[in-house]
Amino acid sequence: MTRRLKHASLWVILLSGVLFRNLAAQGDSSLYEPYNFVDPEEYVIKDIRVSGARYIQEALVTIYSGLSINQKIKIPGDAIPAAIENLWKQQFFADIQIGMKKLPGRQVVLTIYVSERSKLSKFSIKGLKKGETKNLREEISLKSNMIITQNLLNKTRKEILDYYVKKGYYSAAVAFKREPETNKPNFEIIRISVEKGPKVKVYDIRFAGNEKLDDATLRRVFKKTKRLYKKWNFLAASKFIEDKYEEEKTGIVTKYSELGYRDAQVLYDSINQIAPDRLVINIGINEGSQYRFRNIYWRGNTKFRNGMLDTLLGIKKGDVYNQALLQERLFANAGGYDIQSLYMDDGYLFFNMQPVEVAVSNDSIDMEIRIYEGEQARVNRVTVSGNTKTSDHVVLREIRTKPGDKFSRSDIQRTMRDLAQLGYFDPEQMGVDPVPNQMDGTVDIRYKVSEKPSDQIELSGGWGANGFTGRPALLGTAGVTLNNFSIRKLGKPSLWNPIPSGDGQRLSLRAQSNGTFYQGYNFSFTEPWLGGKKPNSFSVSLFHTINAYDYAVKSDPNRKVLYNTGASVSFGKRLRWPDDFFSMQWVFSFQRYRFQNLSGSGFGFPADFKNGTSYVPSIQFVLTRNSVSAPIFPESGSQFTFSLQATPPYSAFNGKDYRTMLPADKYRWIEYHKWKFDANWYTLLFKNCVLSTQARFGFLGFYNRDLGMTFFERFRLGGSGLFGFSLAGTEIISQRGYDNFTVSDAASRSESGVPIYNKLTTEIRYAITKNPTATVYGHVFAEAGNAYVNFNSFNPFQDLRRAVGVGVRLFMPMFGLIGLDYAYGFDWRLVSGNSKPGQFHFFLGQQF
C-alpha cells in the first residue's frame, strides 16, 4: 500500500467512527452497515441539514462546507473530510461533525453538527500603570469582533511577551480570563493579566582568549549593551536585548580586523542568568595573528598613474592590515578623497574597482586593485520633480550638472547641498537618481525635491524694560518675511498661491512699537540672481527708528529722543577662488542720526552737545566662506565671515581744526572703521549629535584722535542679544549667563558700548526631530567672552567672562528660530548689574 493510500484510509476510518458515533447517539441502530473500503459506493446527496448553528445562517454553513444537494459522493471518500476541512478554515466553530442517513436508491441525508465559537466584545489589561496599558494596547493586534480561537490567544500572548522582552523583562507572564458578555449573546470579554516581573540587566560582560585587546576596549564595541558592574556612565542602558546584542557582537571581529587580526573569530558566547534580574555574558575569542600590508599593485588604470593612486590611498608597506580602512580609502572617504571619487568626478560613471588578496605570506598580505575604467560619461537630461511652488528656473540655476557636461559625483553632492541651502525644500526628502545608459555613454540625472514652508509671519507682544529708563513697557511687533517671493507675478493674480511666490526673491516688512518710547519700521528686498543669468545678488533696505529716553510728550522741547533713518544698497557675488564656497558683498549705506537733549544719557556725548544731526555714509566689504551642510541644523562644514565697514576720513582732507570746532559741526559727519570676524565649525559626533564651535571678534576704530571714538556703532555685550530694538546705533551681542548689556557696561562703566569684544562658544547639539515643519534640538554649551575699552586692556584668552548652560531650540518656518537657555555665569560678581549667577535667556532668530 502506498503512503498516499494509507493516508486516505486513515481519514476514512476516522470519518466512519464519527458517523457511527453520531448515529448511535441518536439510537438509529438500523444504519450500522459495513462499508466497503476497497471499492467505495457512490451516493447522491438528497438533503443537507445543519444542527447547532445559532448565530450563523444554516445556508452559510452549507456553502462553507462546499457540499450541495444532488452532488454525487463516494462513501468512504474525500468529499466529507474536505467539507470538514473547509468549515475549520472559517474559524467560526469549536467543534464540527457530519452525520449521514441512508435512503433507498443510493441516496443520503447529511447532517452537519457545529458548535460556534464566541466573538470578542472587548478586552481589558490589568497589572500595569495607565500609561503602560495604553502603550501595550498599541502593540497588540487584538480587536473587537474577532473570533476567539486558541491561536488568537497564543498570538496575543506572544505579542505581549515580545514587547516586554524588548524592554528587558524576561520573566513577564500573561494570563487570560474569559467572561460572557451580558447583553451580547455569543460575545465574550477577555481579561488580560500581565505581570512584568523584574527587568533583566547585564551585570557583566566577560571575555576569554583576548590578549592583544583588553576587556575595556572590547566592551566599548557594545554601544547599547552596557554592564552594571563598575559602570561609570549611569545614563547608558544595561538592559539585555538579544537582537541588539547579536547585532553588536559582530563588532568584535570588526574591531580586530581594523587592527590587522583578519583571522579573529568569536569561538563561543553564553548568557548566564545569575539572578532573576541579572545576567552575565561570557564571550570566548580566538585572536589569531596580526597581518600587515606588503605590496599593493594597481591593474587596469590608464587615466591616473600608480604614484598618484598610492598617494591618495595613503597606505604604505608595513601598515597594519585594515580592511575597513582600505574600503574607505577606495570607495567612501568621509571627506570625498577616495579613489572612486577621483574617477567619478572626472566622468567615469561606469568605473569599477575590486581589491583582491593575491598573496599571504606569514604576517604579510599582497593586494591587487583591479580597475575597470570604462568610458567617460556625459550628462544627457537633467530633470527636477516635486517643486510645486518654486519655479523651475530657480531650481535649475542651482544645479551644477548641466546637459553635455562630464558626469561628476561631487557636482551632484554640491547641488544637493545648494538646494538645501535655499531653504525652500525639506533636506530629509530630497533625493537624486542617476540613470546611466552604457550603450551611448550618457547618464540622465533626476533630482527630487519636496517643498516646505519658508515664509515667516511675526505677530507678537512682549513686556519688558524700556531701554535706558528701565521702566517696563509693552512692545508689539508685526512683520512678514516672504523668502520665496516673485515680483514677476505681482500683476498676474491667477498665479498667486496665495501670494506671488516661487522666484526666490526675499521681501521683508516689519514694524515695532511700544507707544511713546520706541517705534521702528523696516523694509528690505533681495534679488539673489540679478539679471537671472549669474548668482549676483542685489538688495535694498530702508529703515526708520525713534528712541525716546524719558516720558515727555512729542511736543515737549526737553524730550530726550534719537531718530535714526537710513537706507542701504548691496551687491553680492559668488566666487570661484579660492574655492566656490566663497562669496563677497559690497554694501553702500547712508544713515542720519538726529538727536535732542541726549547729553548725559549714556552715549558718551560731550556735555555741550545736546542737540544735533549726524550723517554716516559708509561702504562695507563682506567676505564669506560657507560650506555648512544645512541652514537650520548643520552637521558638517564651516562658515567664516570677515567684514570691514568704513566711512570716508573727512578729517584727513577737509583741513579743519577739530580741536576748536563746535560740537554741532565736529560731529556732523561721523567717521570710523569697523572690523568683524566670525567663525563657526560643525562636526558630527554621531547620529543627530553635533559639536559646534564658534569664535567672534569685533573692533571699532577711528582716524583722528581729536575726534576720538564715535558714539555710534559700538558693541554692547551680554544677555540673549534680544532686546526688541536697536539702541542708539549700537550692535547688540549675546553672551549667556549675564544680564542684558552688563558685560560691556561693566567694562566701559557706562551704557555707551565698547569698541572691542571677543567671544568663544562650544556647543554640543542633539536633534530631537529634524522634521521641516518643526525642527527641535537641545544643547549644552560653554561660553566665554568680554568687552574692552581699548587694546591696552584687550586680553582675549585670560580676561574672560565664563558661563555654562543648557538649552533648547525650536525652528518653525512660519516663526523662525525660537530658543530658551539657562546659563550659569561663573564671573557674575565681576560684572556689575548681575544680582545672581543663574540666568534664563529667551531667543528669537539666530544668535551667536
Side-chain angles (χ1 to χ4, degrees):
M1 182 181 295
T2 66
R3 177 181 292 270
R4 187 173 182 181
L5 182 59
K6 289 179 180 179
H7 184 67
S9 300
L10 180 61
W11 268 101
V12 172
I13 294 170
L14 291 174
L15 176 62
S16 301
V18 171
L19 291 174
F20 284 127
R21 183 168 62 82
N22 285 332
L23 294 175
Q26 299 174 50
D28 196 350
S29 59
S30 62
L31 295 179
Y32 284 97
E33 298 181 4
Y35 289 94
N36 189 339
F37 293 99
V38 178
D39 187 17
E41 297 181 1
E42 189 174 72
Y43 294 86
V44 176
I45 300 175
K46 178 66 175 177
D47 193 11
I48 300 175
R49 300 168 184 172
V50 177
S51 176
R54 299 176 58 194
Y55 307 104
I56 299 178
Q57 296 181 13
E58 295 181 356
L60 285 177
V61 177
T62 303
I63 293 172
Y64 291 148
S65 71
L67 299 172
S68 60
I69 296 175
N70 296 323
Q71 178 183 349
K72 294 180 180 180
I73 61 173
K74 289 186 177 182
I75 300 178
D78 294 334
I80 301 300
I84 294 175
E85 186 175 358
N86 290 338
L87 291 171
W88 277 121
K89 289 179 180 179
Q90 306 307 313
Q91 296 188 347
F92 294 143
F93 311 109
D95 187 26
I96 304 169
Q97 300 181 19
I98 298 180
M100 180 187 75
K101 182 177 180 179
K102 287 184 179 180
L103 298 177
R106 294 189 178 277
Q107 293 183 327
V108 292
V109 175
L110 300 181
T111 302
I112 303 174
Y113 299 90
V114 296
S115 176
E116 295 180 3
R117 284 192 172 112
S118 301
K119 290 185 178 181
L120 177 63
S121 173
K122 58 185 178 182
F123 69 93
S124 63
I125 301 175
K126 296 182 178 180
L128 303 174
K129 295 180 180 179
K130 185 176 180 180
E132 289 181 296
T133 301
K134 181 181 178 181
N135 293 335
L136 183 58
R137 279 182 172 272
E138 295 175 355
E139 293 293 326
I140 61 179
S141 55
L142 204 60
K143 298 291 185 293
S144 298
N145 293 317
M146 284 184 166
I147 297 171
I148 302 175
T149 66
Q150 189 59 44
N151 182 58
L152 179 65
L153 298 179
N154 292 340
K155 179 184 177 183
T156 302
R157 184 191 306 275
K158 184 177 185 304
E159 288 174 343
I160 295 173
L161 293 179
D162 288 348
Y163 173 75
Y164 279 105
V165 164
K166 290 179 180 179
K167 291 184 171 292
Y169 295 93
Y170 277 73
S171 303
V174 181
F176 299 97
K177 183 179 179 181
R178 300 170 61 173
E179 300 174 359
E181 176 66 87
T182 306
N183 301 321
K184 297 175 69 175
N186 202 43
F187 278 82
E188 291 185 4
I189 300 172
I190 295 181
R191 311 287 186 189
I192 305 175
S193 298
V194 179
E195 185 177 347
K196 296 189 299 184
K199 180 179 284 189
V200 179
K201 295 186 177 182
V202 179
Y203 177 72
D204 199 5
I205 305 175
R206 299 167 182 168
F207 299 93
N210 56 311
E211 297 179 357
K212 305 300 182 183
L213 297 182
D214 57 28
D215 291 2
T217 300
L218 294 176
R219 287 193 194 100
R220 283 195 288 271
V221 168
F222 295 93
K223 306 297 183 184
K224 300 182 184 294
T225 307
K226 300 294 184 181
R227 66 173 186 168
L228 284 171
Y229 179 65
K230 293 184 178 181
K231 184 172 73 171
W232 63 271
N233 182 5
F234 295 99
L235 297 177
S238 295
K239 64 183 180 182
F240 178 75
I241 307 299
E242 187 172 359
D243 292 345
K244 293 294 183 184
Y245 164 70
E246 292 294 337
E247 178 184 331
E248 292 185 328
K249 187 177 66 175
T250 60
I252 295 175
V253 174
T254 302
K255 185 64 178 178
Y256 271 102
S257 67
E258 291 175 356
L259 300 174
Y261 296 92
R262 64 190 289 272
D263 299 330
Q265 57 182 318
V266 175
L267 296 177
Y268 66 85
D269 68 309
S270 62
I271 312 298
N272 300 323
Q273 195 161 354
I274 60 175
D277 61 345
R278 297 288 185 270
L279 58 81
V280 172
I281 302 174
N282 295 289
I283 301 175
I285 297 172
N286 176 22
E287 294 180 322
S289 301
Q290 187 182 48
Y291 290 82
R292 296 182 178 274
F293 288 106
R294 187 168 60 184
N295 299 309
I296 298 178
Y297 305 102
W298 300 93
R299 299 287 185 264
N301 56 303
T302 59
K303 175 66 178 180
F304 303 104
R305 56 184 176 82
N306 292 352
M308 182 177 181
L309 298 179
D310 286 336
T311 301
L312 192 58
L313 186 65
I315 296 176
K316 300 180 179 61
K317 184 176 182 178
D319 286 353
V320 171
Y321 180 79
N322 184 342
Q323 193 168 13
L325 178 64
L326 178 66
Q327 292 290 321
E328 177 185 320
R329 300 284 176 83
L330 290 176
F331 299 103
N333 187 287
Y337 304 109
D338 54 70
I339 306 300
Q340 180 171 264
S341 296
L342 181 68
Y343 275 94
M344 297 284 265
D345 289 345
D346 199 32
Y348 291 90
L349 175 62
F350 309 111
F351 160 85
N352 191 18
M353 179 170 49
Q354 184 67 37
V356 179
E357 295 180 3
V358 293
V360 179
S361 177
N362 296 324
D363 65 345
S364 299
I365 298 177
D366 290 345
M367 298 293 303
E368 187 172 279
I369 315 292
R370 299 171 183 172
I371 294 175
Y372 169 74
E373 295 178 334
E375 298 295 328
Q376 285 180 311
R378 295 274 172 181
V379 177
N380 182 27
R381 297 179 63 231
V382 179
T383 57
V384 181
S385 63
N387 54 314
T388 56
K389 175 181 177 181
T390 306
S391 302
D392 287 344
H393 72 272
V394 174
V395 183
L396 292 173
R397 70 193 184 190
E398 299 293 340
I399 291 178
R400 294 172 177 256
T401 52
K402 307 295 184 183
D405 290 350
K406 285 191 302 185
F407 174 83
S408 172
R409 188 175 70 172
S410 63
D411 282 348
I412 292 178
Q413 294 171 337
R414 181 61 186 275
T415 295
M416 298 296 287
R417 180 257 179 198
D418 289 348
L419 290 175
Q421 287 290 325
L422 290 175
Y424 310 148
F425 309 116
D426 177 10
E428 300 294 316
Q429 298 188 46
M430 291 173 56
V432 60
D433 182 22
V435 182
N437 186 346
Q438 200 161 3
M439 296 295 293
D440 60 7
T442 64
V443 56
D444 294 338
I445 302 178
R446 304 169 182 170
Y447 293 97
K448 178 184 177 183
V449 297
S450 178
E451 298 272 7
K452 71 172 186 178
S454 60
D455 298 328
Q456 297 176 12
I457 296 176
E458 184 179 2
L459 291 171
S460 63
W463 179 263
N466 176 54
F468 282 42
T469 68
R471 180 176 177 179
L474 180 65
L475 178 69
T477 303
V480 60
T481 301
L482 307 177
N483 288 303
N484 196 1
F485 188 66
S486 174
I487 286 185
R488 177 176 58 90
K489 298 178 182 178
L490 269 177
K492 302 175 182 178
S494 61
L495 300 178
W496 295 16
N497 185 29
I499 57 176
S501 60
D503 283 349
Q505 297 159 345
R506 186 177 188 273
L507 177 67
S508 177
L509 298 167
R510 193 168 187 261
Q512 255 187 335
S513 177
N514 64 358
T516 306
F517 302 112
Y518 175 79
Q519 296 175 48
Y521 308 94
N522 293 271
F523 163 83
S524 67
F525 173 79
T526 300
E527 167 56 72
W529 283 65
L530 185 62
K533 295 183 179 181
K534 293 183 179 181
N536 299 328
S537 65
F538 169 77
S539 299
V540 59
S541 66
L542 304 169
F543 65 89
H544 177 68
T545 63
I546 305 170
N547 282 70
Y549 300 100
D550 57 20
Y551 309 109
V553 297
K554 293 182 179 179
S555 58
D556 189 339
N558 296 317
R559 184 189 184 202
K560 295 181 179 182
V561 62
L562 168 69
Y563 301 92
N564 182 8
T565 305
S568 67
V569 176
S570 66
F571 299 90
K573 179 180 179 62
R574 296 184 192 177
L575 304 178
R576 294 186 176 274
W577 186 90
D579 62 34
D580 57 4
F581 288 111
F582 277 87
S583 64
M584 69 175 184
Q585 186 180 34
W586 292 95
V587 184
F588 304 90
S589 63
F590 184 88
Q591 288 180 256
R592 187 192 71 167
Y593 293 100
R594 186 168 65 87
F595 44 91
Q596 62 185 37
N597 303 312
L598 289 186
S599 176
S601 299
F603 290 100
F605 289 4
D608 57 349
F609 187 40
K610 294 182 178 181
N611 302 284
T613 302
S614 295
Y615 300 98
V616 190
S618 68
I619 183 171
Q620 183 181 20
F621 171 74
V622 183
L623 181 65
T624 301
R625 186 186 188 276
N626 183 0
S627 63
V628 298
S629 58
I632 305 304
F633 188 79
E635 296 182 342
S636 62
S638 59
Q639 182 173 358
F640 300 92
T641 302
F642 166 78
S643 69
L644 170 60
Q645 183 178 5
T647 65
Y650 309 104
S651 61
F653 51 76
N654 61 15
K656 296 180 180 181
D657 186 356
Y658 281 82
R659 292 172 296 181
T660 60
M661 290 176 64
L662 294 174
D665 295 326
K666 184 176 183 179
Y667 300 110
R668 182 173 299 277
W669 295 94
I670 300 298
E671 58 180 47
Y672 64 85
H673 50 94
K674 190 174 186 179
W675 307 71
K676 294 192 296 183
F677 177 75
D678 298 339
N680 301 276
W681 295 268
Y682 301 95
T683 305
L684 183 66
L685 301 179
F686 52 87
K687 184 178 180 181
N688 293 333
C689 187
V690 175
L691 172 66
S692 169
T693 52
Q694 305 171 8
R696 298 194 73 186
F697 168 80
F699 166 67
L700 180 67
F702 57 87
Y703 304 116
N704 191 327
R705 291 186 178 276
D706 293 334
L707 269 175
M709 185 70 60
T710 176
F711 30 78
F712 300 115
E713 298 297 331
R714 299 186 184 187
F715 303 105
R716 300 197 71 188
L717 192 65
S720 65
L722 172 71
F723 198 66
F725 47 85
S726 173
L727 295 175
T730 57
E731 184 171 345
I732 300 172
I733 310 296
S734 71
Q735 184 165 345
R736 294 166 286 190
Y738 302 91
D739 279 332
N740 286 341
F741 319 136
T742 54
V743 176
S744 57
D745 290 354
S748 64
R749 298 182 181 180
S750 72
E751 297 173 336
S752 60
V754 294
I756 306 172
Y757 88 94
N758 75 291
K759 193 178 77 165
L760 306 171
T761 303
T762 298
E763 289 185 352
I764 296 179
R765 303 175 176 179
Y766 184 81
I768 300 170
T769 172
K770 292 188 284 188
N771 190 307
T773 59
T775 300
V776 182
Y777 67 86
H779 60 219
V780 296
F781 63 85
E783 196 160 83
N786 205 355
Y788 310 92
V789 295
N790 52 50
F791 271 116
N792 292 331
S793 62
F794 183 55
N795 192 346
F797 301 110
Q798 293 182 350
D799 185 16
L800 299 172
R801 305 296 175 251
R802 302 159 299 160
V804 297
V806 298
V808 65
R809 292 291 184 274
L810 166 65
F811 176 82
M812 293 186 293
M814 185 65 73
F815 302 103
L817 193 64
I818 304 171
L820 180 66
D821 288 349
Y822 176 80
Y824 183 92
F826 291 107
D827 304 299
W828 66 281
R829 296 183 186 277
L830 301 177
V831 178
S832 59
N834 286 272
S835 59
K836 57 184 183 301
Q839 302 282 342
F840 281 98
H841 301 288
F842 178 70
F843 295 87
L844 279 176
Q846 184 65 54
Q847 305 291 325
F848 297 98

